[in-house]
Structure formats: C-alpha cells, structure tokens
Amino acid sequence: MVFRKPPDGGWGWVIVVVSFFTQFLCYGSPLAVGVLYLEWLDAFGEGKGKTAWVGSLANGIGLLASPVCSICVSSFGARPVAIFSGFMVAGGLMMSSFAPNIYFLYVSYGIVVGLGCGLLYTATVTITCQYFDKRRGLALGLISTGSSVGLFIYAALQRELIELYGLDGCLLIVGALSLNILACGSLMRPLESPSSPPPEKIFVDKVPDQYFVYHEKEKTIEENISILEKGYIDEKCVNNVPDCKQDSILNKNVLSSINVNEKDTYKKKVVEQTNFCKQLAKRKWQLYLTYWKDTMVLFKNKVFSALFVAILLFDIGGFPPSLLMEDVARSANISEDDYYMPLISIIGIMTTVGKLILGILADFKWVNTLYLYVTTLLMTGVALFAIPFAKSYLTLAMLSGILGFLTGNWSIFPYVTTKTVGIEKLTHAYGILMFFAGLGNSLGPPIVGWFYDWTQEYDTAFYFSGFCVLLGGFLLLLAALPCWNACTNQSSKLPPNTYSYKVASNA
C-alpha cells in the first residue's frame, strides 16, 4: 500500500475530531468505573478486592495486549479495527448489564471492553500519525484529551443514569452510546495515494486450473498428471476443436513421455519448498533472538531499568484513586448533600489540565523532563499519604484535583522514554514500559481493595500506595543523578540538557 506525504491538515483534522470522540466514547466508562464499582459492591456482595478486578482489568488489559493491538492495526488498517472494536466495546457494556455474578463481569467488562479500548487507542494514534508530521504533537495532544474529558462527563452521566434507570439500564444506555464509535471509525479514511493501482490479481485468476499441478502437496505424481491431462482435454473440447478425441490420444502419448521429467520437477519443487520453510523458520528464530537481545541491552541501561520499576510502582499506587475515591468518600461518611461534583469528574478534568501544562513545560529547553517526571511522582506519593487525613468533601476534592493534575504526567512520559533510550529504540522500549504500566493498572486497585478487606479501612491501603510511588520516584531520581554517573566511572562531561543515560542509549 502506497501512502502520500502527511498533509498536516485537511482531512487530518477530521481524523483528529473523530479520534477524540472515539477515545471519549470508549474510555469514558472504564475510566469512570468508580461509579459502577459502588453499585457492583452492593449488587453482588463480594469483597472490595475482588470487585476492583473489574475496573482494573478494563483499564489494564489494553496496555497488556498492546503488541497484539499493534499487529492488528498494521495487518488490517485503522478503519476496520476501529469499527470492529466499536462492536466489542458496545457489546461488552451491554452484556455487562445482564451479568449474574462478578466473574461474568471479568470477561464482559474487564476483558472485552478493555481489549476493545486498547485496539481503539492504537487505531486512533496510528491514523493520526499517518496524517500529521510537523503538527503531530499537537494532534496527539488533542486526541489524548478525549479520554480525560470522557472521564469527567461519564462520571456524572453514569451516576445520573443509575438513579433514573438503575445499574442495568445505565450499562445498556452507555453501550448504545458507544455504537457511535462505528460512525467515527467509518470516517478514518486511510491515507492512500489515489494514483496507485489496485493489486493485480488478474494473472492468477486467468491461469487455468490444469497448470496448478503442485498446488496440493497431498496429491501423488500420477494424480497431478491426470489433472493436467484432463484440463488440457477439457480446454480443447470447450473451444469446439473437431479433433478433440484425436488430440486426447496424442496428449496421452506426450504426457507419458514426460512422466519422468514431471517426477523430477516435482521432487525438486518439494526440496525447494522444504529449504524455504527451513530458512523462514531460521529467520524468524533470529528475529526472536534479536528482540530478546535488544531487550536485555535496554535493561543494561540503569535509568531505563529504574524507569520500568517507577512506572510499575506508579500505576500500582497512583491508579487506585481514580477507581476508589468515591468509595473513600462513602467510607468517610460524607453526606451526598455535600457533593457538588463527583470526585472522579474532578480527577478527569484536572488530568486534562495536567496533560496540557506538563506537555507545554516539557517543550522548554531549560526544563529537564526527567526531573519534571520525577517531581510528579514524588508529589503524587505525598498526596496519597494525605488521603487518610481527609475527612471532608472539600479536602478530598482538593486531593482529587492534585492527583488528577499529576496523573497528566502521561503526556511527558514519551519524552522521558525518548531521552532514555533514543528515538531509534523508542518503539521497542515504549512497548515494554506500557506492558508493565498495564500490569500496574491491573494489580493496583485489587491490592488496595484487599487491604481494605483485611483492615476494614483505607488508611493502610493508601499508605502502601504512597510508599510504592515514592519508592519508584526515588529510584528513578537516584539512577539519573550526575553523581551516580561519576561513581560508575562514566564520562562526566555531557552536553547540556542531556542525561547520564545518553551513553547507555547507544549500546
């Protein structure tokens, strides 16, 4: 498939709009699952740790399956994947309304909806990158806010729908809204060159069947020769040749004379195909070995290793508030009359603000993006430690806003990864880091829920969460300090605004 040069505009802005609404529609409910979490606790009567698996799977499974999602988009294109994934998200939400137990929700909401969201995220990012080059950062920043705006709106929307139609009706309506993803996906027109001719299949279609002697390996030499003989005779008879019978006798004599040559040719063909399969298997094995070798080289970079630990611990400790903050307020006996806005909505809108402001700060040359990212981790840890001391709606709302703003550090995470490993290894490294981020998303809320089941209070759970995030931040800071670089006998003279891991990225 031949692609034109990215136009950086035109239909690309339509792609930005539909990608924004795609992420808005698919991520709105999973990110605002904290509202549904309260209802599932009351409906099924399971422990908080077990119930939290539903939301954590929905948000983590897409990151865990990011390699599969990338392969699907590369193989089939963004438009077919978006349309198919729209059916997955809508179907999973509607199926969840009929869930008889929590285990059914693990599949319908956790896996089906989560995988659909992962596919849609990959499709929207891929099609946007195809349409933009110079303005790619702006375009990706605009579509990434769709999920945060979805969190802000869906938190209040799902709460209102539950009051009006109940939990089942809410999921049915939200699932029906997700069907609009199909319309968005249909507008994701691939950036193909209009002058490029379609693939030529006419030559294969025009080849008569009698020439495919070696197409089926199961056939013997005699069967293949009989097929060739029959095809030759049928072609003569169809063309109304008067001496069809005479040609048939002559053709038998000719085929019998080349029988030995056909056997030799067939054996040669089998040997060639066998050698080809061996070479293909050897090549694939070499690719796998190269992949794992490159992975091991990445982990020799001390900052990348610290970054992998930091993102894992950050998602284990930093993701649970977006899922459990509403239950924290209920556990603190805060009256519903004091609610001016759902706490999850505050997290969503402040995440949007954080993405924009932190992204702008990262573009300044005098800002060290690694230290900026470390600062957000340390501040997140402190905010998590403060949650057990919040006993009113106002303090919880302030902490929700702070945590939401700091969660916007996702917008500078690609900058940090690029600085760590270099642009040539960004795809490989980012895929590994996203896998561990998904693992943290999947484990964080259940761990916090299990702490509550054991202690019957959230204080210990959020102390644990804050400790995880602070530990990850301190490890990353320690790995990036210039003094550590001097202790390891590496070069002490580095270019300005580059970090001590620049040398390791060239390994």
Side-chain angles (χ1 to χ4, degrees), residues 201-215:
K201 297 182 179 180
I202 184 66
F203 299 105
V204 178
D205 296 336
K206 286 187 175 182
V207 176
D209 293 338
Q210 63 264 27
Y211 295 110
F212 290 98
V213 179
Y214 307 105
H215 183 66

Side-chain angles (χ1 to χ4, degrees), residues 68-314:
V68 178
C69 298
S70 300
I71 292 174
C72 291
V73 175
S74 300
S75 301
F76 304 105
R79 177 191 280 174
V81 170
I83 294 175
F84 175 77
S85 302
F87 280 112
M88 287 186 65
V89 174
L93 290 169
M94 292 180 180
M95 287 169 57
S96 299
S97 65
F98 303 100
N101 51 54
I102 199 70
Y103 302 103
F104 187 91
L105 286 173
Y106 290 163
V107 178
S108 62
Y109 198 98
I111 297 179
V112 176
V113 176
L115 186 57
C117 290
L119 288 168
L120 285 169
Y121 177 81
T122 306
T124 54
V125 170
T126 301
I127 192 70
T128 302
C129 290
Q130 291 176 0
Y131 271 87
F132 288 90
D133 184 17
K134 297 180 181 179
R135 301 178 180 176
R136 183 174 297 169
L138 174 62
L140 292 175
L142 290 174
I143 69 171
S144 67
T145 58
S147 57
S148 301
V149 176
L151 169 59
F152 171 71
I153 294 179
Y154 268 74
L157 175 64
Q158 291 185 146
R159 191 172 180 181
E160 189 67 23
L161 289 175
I162 289 173
E163 293 180 359
L164 294 176
Y165 304 105
L167 176 61
D168 297 343
C170 171
L171 289 171
L172 284 174
I173 294 174
V174 172
L177 289 175
S178 300
L179 289 173
N180 289 285
I181 296 174
L182 306 181
C184 295
S186 64
L187 295 175
M188 294 181 184
R189 186 173 64 197
L191 188 64
E192 297 180 32
S193 176
S195 60
S196 59
E200 296 185 1
K201 297 182 179 180
I202 184 66
F203 299 105
V204 178
D205 296 336
K206 286 187 175 182
V207 176
D209 293 338
Q210 63 264 27
Y211 295 110
F212 290 98
V213 179
Y214 307 105
H215 183 66
E216 298 182 9
K217 295 181 179 179
E218 293 79 4
K219 293 184 179 297
T220 62
I221 300 297
E222 291 76 10
E223 289 175 336
N224 285 325
I225 294 176
S226 64
I227 292 174
L228 181 61
E229 174 190 343
K230 183 178 182 299
Y232 182 84
I233 297 173
D234 292 343
E235 185 179 13
K236 286 290 185 179
C237 295
V238 169
N239 293 331
N240 296 321
V241 179
D243 53 347
C244 177
K245 186 174 182 180
Q246 184 178 356
D247 286 348
S248 176
I249 298 173
L250 180 61
N251 183 50
K252 288 181 179 180
N253 295 330
V254 173
L255 289 175
S256 61
S257 64
I258 64 172
N259 191 3
V260 178
N261 293 332
E262 288 292 341
K263 290 182 180 180
D264 295 338
T265 305
Y266 181 77
K267 291 180 180 179
K268 184 178 180 181
K269 189 95 173 181
V270 171
V271 172
E272 291 176 354
Q273 291 178 350
T274 302
N275 291 333
F276 173 77
C277 292
K278 290 181 179 179
Q279 293 296 327
L280 181 62
K282 184 178 180 180
R283 183 180 178 184
K284 292 294 184 182
W285 179 249
Q286 289 296 331
L287 290 176
Y288 286 127
L289 291 178
T290 303
Y291 175 84
W292 289 111
K293 181 179 178 180
D294 292 342
T295 302
M296 296 306 298
V297 170
L298 287 175
F299 279 100
K300 290 180 180 179
N301 184 330
K302 62 180 183 299
V303 177
F304 178 82
S305 300
L307 188 62
F308 128 75
V309 175
I311 192 64
L312 176 63
L313 294 177
F314 173 74

